[in-house]
Amino acid sequence: PAFPSSLCFQTRLYAAQAARKVEVTGFQPQDVQVTKLPSGLVIASLENYSPASKIGVFVKAGCRYETPENQGVTHLLRLASSLTTKGASAFKICRGIEAVGGSLSVTSSRETMMYSVDCLRDDIDTVMEYLINVTTAPEFRPWEVSDLTSRVELDKAQAAQSPQIGVVEALHGAAYKNALCNSLYCPDYMVGNIQSEHLHQFVQNNFTSARMALLGIGIDHAVLKQVGEQFLNIRSGAGTTGAAAQYRGGEVRVAGTAGLVQAAVVSQSAAAGTDEALAFSVLQHLLGGGPHVKRGSNASSKLIQGVAKATAEPFDVAPGSVPHVSGNV
């Protein structure tokens, strides 16, 4: 379908909301409602009667789906969320969302791209229009894309100052041979070399209805379903099939002048949802991955007990799982 014009979108959404209005004497707890359209689009909502609403579009299009020819394209895609679309200019998107006190954010992991908006319930129609435009009708004008280079360099510089980010990035590079070894950040040799065509092609190959999910909190399911049916049935098909990640293991050491050492020891576990995954979850809690007292030493942790016997120096250690890491705009 064509991108929504402001008047058309607001009229349809208002009609859907008005049709659902009833006199409510008491709020009844609601369950999560899930609908899967024939196109493959999943729509899920939770009506919690909150005065504020949050709507998100999740797309199976993380950096693991990048190829050697477009390494770093998802980093640019995160930053391009506020650029001109077919239905709204960059200025209109920024000004329109701010005018109603809303916010638009884009987060990416190695698996997904996540576009979300927050607003007051009465302003859903306004911010939803911009969310649909950003996810379904980007233009990626060449001069706007080229202007993102300085922001890419700033992102990389900030990430370089974070030891935690450096550890996780190096961890994935050492652990996987392909797919999940791709970085959340544009590699140096591709900075300034990601063009408008790269973005268009990546969106065309990965932003299909079957790879999308529309989620909402504080919104009626019928309203969200109507939006999904009318505006997110954009492309059929399953899109590009990503290669299965191949675990290889290895070691990476990054030299630095910081006074503290950040280290991670990782092993391959099991896929989420399998019986083996439950065993690893129990192991994680035995090592001390469960709840602990705020500002406490979590002395019951087997891992902390072992490290405490090995050194008298200050330390911080915790077990966990890192299937992917998110990076915010």
Side-chain angles (χ1 to χ4, degrees), residues 12-88:
R12 292 183 180 182
L13 192 56
Y14 175 79
Q17 291 175 315
R20 298 286 299 180
K21 285 186 176 180
V22 295
E23 293 295 328
V24 180
T25 57
F27 296 135
Q28 298 297 323
Q30 300 291 318
D31 295 327
V32 174
Q33 298 186 57
V34 180
T35 300
K36 186 172 183 178
L37 302 182
S39 64
L41 176 68
V42 176
I43 302 172
S45 69
L46 175 63
E47 176 58 279
N48 60 357
Y49 306 106
S50 169
S53 300
K54 187 178 184 73
I55 303 99
V57 176
F58 289 68
V59 189
K60 191 176 180 181
C63 63
R64 69 171 298 169
Y65 300 102
E66 295 175 352
T67 65
E69 292 74 26
N70 64 7
Q71 288 278 303
V73 68
T74 54
H75 188 176
L76 270 292
L77 201 56
R78 289 201 304 270
L79 300 178
S81 61
S82 59
L83 299 185
T84 300
T85 69
K86 294 179 181 179

Side-chain angles (χ1 to χ4, degrees), residues 30-310:
Q30 300 291 318
D31 295 327
V32 174
Q33 298 186 57
V34 180
T35 300
K36 186 172 183 178
L37 302 182
S39 64
L41 176 68
V42 176
I43 302 172
S45 69
L46 175 63
E47 176 58 279
N48 60 357
Y49 306 106
S50 169
S53 300
K54 187 178 184 73
I55 303 99
V57 176
F58 289 68
V59 189
K60 191 176 180 181
C63 63
R64 69 171 298 169
Y65 300 102
E66 295 175 352
T67 65
E69 292 74 26
N70 64 7
Q71 288 278 303
V73 68
T74 54
H75 188 176
L76 270 292
L77 201 56
R78 289 201 304 270
L79 300 178
S81 61
S82 59
L83 299 185
T84 300
T85 69
K86 294 179 181 179
S89 66
F91 175 78
K92 183 178 180 181
I93 293 173
C94 179
R95 183 69 181 86
I97 294 177
E98 288 184 347
V100 297
S103 66
L104 167 68
S105 62
V106 183
T107 305
S108 70
S109 71
R110 285 178 165 79
E111 300 283 352
T112 59
M113 296 285 298
M114 295 154 277
Y115 297 79
S116 62
V117 288
D118 296 86
C119 65
L120 295 177
R121 179 183 289 264
D122 292 340
D123 299 314
I124 288 177
D125 55 345
T126 299
V127 298
M128 187 78 82
E129 175 191 346
Y130 298 121
L131 177 64
I132 297 302
N133 270 282
V134 167
T135 53
T136 66
E139 284 197 344
F140 302 131
R141 297 179 176 181
W143 56 92
E144 291 184 339
V145 173
S146 64
D147 288 343
L148 294 177
T149 300
S150 59
R151 294 181 59 188
V152 171
E153 293 172 341
L154 177 61
D155 273 2
K156 289 174 62 66
Q158 291 177 333
Q161 299 301 313
S162 172
Q164 292 83 5
I165 293 177
V167 167
V168 174
E169 289 294 299
L171 183 154
H172 283 84
Y176 294 97
K177 185 177 182 180
N178 66 334
L180 291 177
C181 71
N182 293 341
S183 174
L184 291 170
Y185 298 91
C186 184
D188 292 339
Y189 70 90
M190 289 297 287
V191 174
N193 291 318
I194 298 292
Q195 307 299 325
S196 176
E197 293 75 17
H198 293 102
L199 294 166
H200 277 299
Q201 185 176 24
F202 187 82
V203 169
Q204 184 72 29
N205 292 339
N206 295 282
F207 281 53
T208 64
S209 298
R211 299 168 70 95
M212 285 185 171
L214 177 63
L215 286 76
I217 298 178
I219 183 172
D220 188 87
H221 188 72
V223 174
L224 201 64
K225 182 181 177 182
Q226 185 183 38
V227 171
E229 290 174 336
Q230 294 182 350
F231 301 113
L232 283 181
N233 279 321
I234 52 174
R235 299 185 189 91
S236 59
T240 302
T241 302
Q246 300 178 24
Y247 184 86
R248 64 176 178 182
E251 178 180 312
V252 171
R253 299 190 182 195
V254 180
T257 58
L260 296 176
V261 174
Q262 307 280 336
V265 179
V266 183
S267 66
Q268 187 177 20
S269 62
T274 63
D275 294 339
E276 292 80 2
L278 296 177
F280 280 98
S281 178
V282 173
L283 175 61
Q284 180 180 342
H285 281 74
L286 286 175
L287 291 175
H292 59 276
V293 178
K294 185 177 182 180
R295 299 186 180 88
S297 62
N298 198 18
S300 61
S301 165
K302 299 297 182 181
L303 187 58
I304 288 180
Q305 292 175 5
V307 176
K309 292 179 181 178

